[in-house]
Amino acid sequence: MNTARFAVRTCAALLSVSNWCDCVAVQTTEPSWLLDQHRCMFCHTVDTPHRAPSFEQIAARYRDVPGAPGMLEEKLRKGGEAHWGDVAMPSAAERGGGPLSASDAHALVKWVLSQ
Ligand code: HEC
């Protein structure tokens, strides 16, 4: 193989990897309609702890914890005990945004953990 052809191939391979990365990033695009409907930003921000831990803090704590996504999805839907302070996270019903489906909870947790 001559050097020029090798360079072209390597370049093409790198390009396809970067396209693949774009694709992965698209999957964790902010699910803004869900964040609005379920009023997440009423208490949370991405980077500043406010009434609740920031999504960056939450991601740093749980990103590498096995089983964390399932636990968090359950918590978003049904509520649960406090892990950060004295105030527990209200359940979907208490937040007033209507019921949160398992797939919507999954999308939200996936996005939160990508922060
Ligand atoms: C009424 C205020 C409020 C709203 C609205 C709210 N949160 Fe929270 N959230 C909290 C508080 C307070 C905590 C910290 C609870 C604790 O100590 O475990 C928390 C914790 C969390 C956690 C970490 C839970 C844990 O067990 O560590 C996640 C993930 C989360 N919120 C995501 C969301 C998402 C996504 C939404 C929108 C669907 C949302 N929150 C809406 C107040 C809120």
Side-chain angles (χ1 to χ4, degrees):
M1 192 199 313
N2 71 32
T3 321
R5 188 174 292 161
F6 177 72
V8 169
R9 285 213 183 146
T10 311
C11 212
L14 286 175
L15 272 177
S16 64
V17 168
S18 72
N19 286 341
W20 178 78
C21 292
D22 286 348
C23 211
V24 171
V26 166
Q27 286 177 351
T28 45
T29 302
E30 181 178 305
S32 12
W33 72 99
L34 287 173
L35 294 169
D36 287 350
Q37 186 188 339
H38 294 281
R39 304 173 189 174
C40 308
M41 299 327 220
F42 183 74
C43 300
H44 292 275
T45 72
V46 168
D47 55 6
T48 313
H50 171 49
R51 299 169 202 222
S54 71
F55 286 147
E56 284 180 358
Q57 288 178 306
I58 293 171
R61 177 164 170 175
Y62 292 112
R63 194 178 287 126
D64 298 321
V65 179
M71 179 281 285
L72 294 173
E73 287 166 25
E74 194 68 10
K75 190 161 180 181
L76 279 189
R77 300 180 68 202
K78 302 179 183 153
E81 63 186 33
H83 287 153
W84 295 80
D86 303 333
V87 189
M89 165 101 173
S91 67
E94 290 162 339
R95 292 191 304 265
L100 183 64
S101 71
S103 61
D104 287 352
H106 181 75
L108 282 167
V109 167
K110 193 171 169 192
W111 176 75
V112 168
L113 296 184
S114 73
Q115 297 309 296

